[in-house]
Amino acid sequence: MPTALGYVSIGLACGIIGAPYVTLVEMGLMSLFVYAGSAQFAMLALIVVQAPVAAIAMTFFLINLRLFLLSLHASTYFRHTSLWYNIGMSSILTDETYGVLMGELAHTDKVNPMWMHGNNLNSYVAWFVGTVVGTALGGLLPNPEIFGLDFALVGMFIGIFASQFQMMQRRIPVRNLLIILAVVAVSFFLLLTVVSQSLAVLFATLLGCSMGVVLDGQ
């Protein structure tokens, strides 16, 4: 539920910001079929500069590529379920619902598949409602950008990360967590010099995972 409430607020921000550039129907369809907060914020920015469709599609792909890793890991906790269940679960998995799953696994070794469906669907519906209502409200504001609402997604990421880090300290030594974070941060900034930001996130995450495996084996 906290994630769903957060999605409503961020969806409102996304809708308000996008109101001058997309219609209510377009925003609704975007939220239903794209369903990616950071990608939708990026799409709005690309629409403003009238970027070609190919550039928008490639940006979507690169930004959401990290979800491949999240889905790959999340599906390992539902091996007893069908392939179609895992496809359905992964298709609407987000950074936040993945974080909630990891938080739940900090307290229990097994998660009910229906619980995960509820986790995903609550956020999915909340995002759709938030963006549509936000677009409707945005039409009433002359200059929505001045409110800095595009920072809402970053704020939610920070909150989820802080909560998850606190829970991980119960199972993983703080020293190991700090080493992993350092590897991710340093590799990310180094990779930015040779690849795009989205690929830097992906490769830095892989390096962080590799370091976690090494530390776990010690």
Side-chain angles (χ1 to χ4, degrees), residues 47-71:
I47 290 175
V48 172
V49 299
Q50 298 181 338
V53 175
I56 294 175
M58 181 57 68
T59 301
F60 272 168
F61 175 75
L62 292 176
I63 290 176
N64 291 330
L65 195 57
R66 72 192 185 285
L67 296 175
F68 172 79
L69 293 178
L70 301 188
S71 299

Side-chain angles (χ1 to χ4, degrees), residues 13 15-21 138-139 141-150:
I16 291 172
I17 291 173
Y21 314 109
L141 300 175
N143 188 16
E145 290 87 353
I146 63 174
F147 296 103
L149 297 175
D150 51 341

Side-chain angles (χ1 to χ4, degrees), residues 60-133:
F60 272 168
F61 175 75
L62 292 176
I63 290 176
N64 291 330
L65 195 57
R66 72 192 185 285
L67 296 175
F68 172 79
L69 293 178
L70 301 188
S71 299
L72 184 65
H73 181 233
S75 64
T76 61
Y77 296 101
F78 302 99
R79 289 173 177 166
H80 58 287
T81 61
S82 67
L83 173 63
W84 288 110
Y85 168 84
N86 280 296
I87 291 175
M89 181 269 294
S90 300
S91 64
I92 55 174
L93 184 74
T94 66
D95 301 276
E96 291 77 22
T97 57
Y98 173 82
V100 172
L101 172 63
M102 293 299 102
E104 182 68 14
L105 288 169
H107 304 291
T108 180
D109 295 328
K110 189 175 182 180
V111 172
N112 189 305
M114 296 308 297
W115 179 93
M116 189 60 193
H117 267 316
N119 178 27
N120 280 336
L121 289 173
N122 278 341
S123 298
Y124 184 58
V125 173
W127 177 255
F128 173 77
V129 172
T131 53
V132 170
V133 173

Side-chain angles (χ1 to χ4, degrees), residues 1 6 18 28 49 60 70 81 129-130 157 162 188 190 192 204 211:
M1 185 58 70
V49 299
F60 272 168
L70 301 188
T81 61
V129 172
F157 277 141
F188 171 72
L190 290 176
L192 279 178
M211 178 56 67

